[in-house]
Amino acid sequence: MDETSSRPDKNGFQASAWHFAALLAGNAALALGPWLVRLSDTGPVSAGFWRLILPVPILAFLAWRSRSPGPLDKKLTVLCLIAGGFFAVDLASWHIGIERTRLANATLFGNAGSIILMVWGLIAARRAPSGREGVGVIAAIAGAGILLGRSMEISATTFIGDLFCLAAGIFYAFYLLPAQRARAVLGSWFVLLLVSLTAAPILLGMAVAAGEPVWPGAAGWTPILVLALSSQVIGQGLLVFSLRNFPPLVIGMALLTQPAIAATVGWLAFGELLEPLDIFGMVLVGAALVLARAPGKAGRVR
């Protein structure tokens, strides 16, 4: 490998071909999540519970290996618990939406947390959006309007599924606010471990209260195990390895591989065909996601 391929750029980012491959592969692994949720024959919220609880031993090992020695900050731990509560509601809402709308829509709307954080930042700062931010907000609203309108044309169920996924994007934004503060000190793996341990029992309680089947049936454990490993270990691990080496704009562009892969899987596995208007709406939302990530650090790691 050429030495210049891993030399830091003027902004301090140091990326190699391996980092870029990991960035794309991590997004690809996460993009398979909605398909695996559909393949499992537990309830959608139950699938979220298994996704979080099964990898806990692996996450605990990775957190132990990566965390700096020293006393645990109680305030940051509380932030992780709060983040876990929001993440539980986010994952429940997203998984319910996945079963009711197209995979491409679910992936796009589920990743809307970056856009919502941008709007939240503008409100908190009490300032008008810049030109780029204004374009991002307009593109997000227009794209979401097109996709929601197309879902209403298909069926009321698809439209409701979109709303669940949009709600998931909102809850994820509120998960990110405390999680990002804790991650800077405690490390990504330790925060993910605490969030998983907090969110998993909440999801189990929600699944039982809703009367969902919790234990896998005829489909077996394969979809659940692959979901847990691909989303919580492989996808997360590859992104933790790669994200720090790229500017947010590159990360935002790489994020767009998720809806592209989800759309392809939806077409091949479930016959979910996209019309030109669908593609146009997705392009608008995708552009908004890239613009929302451009000013700051990357947020969403599903």
Side-chain angles (χ1 to χ4, degrees), residues 34 37-44 47 94-103 106 157 161 165:
V37 170
R38 283 198 189 175
L39 289 183
S40 67
D41 56 3
T42 66
W94 192 45
H95 281 199
I96 291 171
I98 284 168
E99 298 214 330
R100 288 165 170 78
T101 190
R102 295 174 291 180
L103 294 189
T157 300
C165 293

Side-chain angles (χ1 to χ4, degrees), residues 167-260:
I170 295 173
F171 287 122
Y172 199 87
F174 283 101
Y175 152 76
L176 283 177
L177 290 171
Q180 284 180 334
R181 289 182 59 188
R183 190 179 295 131
V185 177
L186 300 179
S188 297
W189 290 116
F190 193 79
V191 170
L192 184 58
L193 175 63
L194 290 181
V195 166
S196 297
L197 290 173
T198 303
I202 297 174
L203 286 166
L204 180 60
M206 294 170 68
V208 171
E212 286 189 4
V214 176
W215 207 259
W221 284 94
T222 301
I224 292 295
L225 287 171
V226 176
L227 173 66
L229 290 175
S230 63
S231 294
Q232 295 302 106
V233 180
I234 298 174
Q236 297 279 359
L238 290 173
L239 292 186
V240 167
F241 168 72
S242 62
L243 285 182
R244 70 190 66 180
N245 299 285
F246 293 98
L249 184 60
V250 173
I251 295 169
M253 295 295 292
L255 172 67
L256 300 185
T257 60
Q258 288 193 37

